Amino acid sequence: MSGPRAAVAALAILLALGVTPALAEDADIGREIYEEFCLNCHGRDMIHTGGVSSDLRKFPKDDFDRFRNVVLDGNGQAMPAWRDKIGDDDLKLLWAYVRSGG
């Protein structure tokens, strides 16, 4: 299937998963932020490479407050605080990417 029918089918799948086109666009932008700040520890496409960093694909998708606190305030030795480097808008875009599952 190609053309408009394929686009409609793809949109239907995204909507069924709770991903709107706007959220998909936010996730794409969030991916760029992830690559700049998070990739070195959490791996490409959030594929956990071992070590002390957590596997973000398993992060609870309904807990933005926890995500925000960990990103901005850090989490001990395993996670530095990014409060001075990531603003609220970038944090929301990064969250869209993490929620997308990579």
Side-chain angles (χ1 to χ4, degrees):
M1 181 180 344
S2 64
R5 293 181 84 189
V8 169
L11 179 58
I13 291 169
L14 288 173
L15 292 173
L17 294 171
V19 178
T20 65
L23 290 177
E25 183 177 319
D26 286 353
D28 287 342
I29 297 168
R31 178 187 186 98
E32 294 173 14
I33 297 165
Y34 176 89
E35 288 175 353
E36 182 177 346
F37 294 101
C38 313
L39 183 136
N40 286 339
C41 294
H42 292 282
R44 182 165 305 286
D45 300 321
M46 293 190 292
I47 296 174
H48 189 246
T49 57
V52 296
S53 64
S54 62
D55 188 333
L56 292 177
R57 295 171 297 164
K58 297 178 182 177
F59 197 91
K61 305 297 187 233
D62 61 348
D63 201 348
F64 174 73
D65 289 336
R66 178 177 165 201
F67 178 80
R68 181 182 185 282
N69 290 338
V70 170
V71 170
L72 296 181
D73 299 330
N75 188 12
Q77 298 280 337
M79 175 73 182
W82 293 97
R83 182 171 298 282
D84 295 334
K85 295 181 175 70
I86 295 179
D88 287 339
D89 291 338
D90 285 347
L91 182 70
K92 289 175 186 172
L93 293 167
L94 183 58
W95 176 240
Y97 175 66
V98 169
R99 287 188 67 203
S100 77

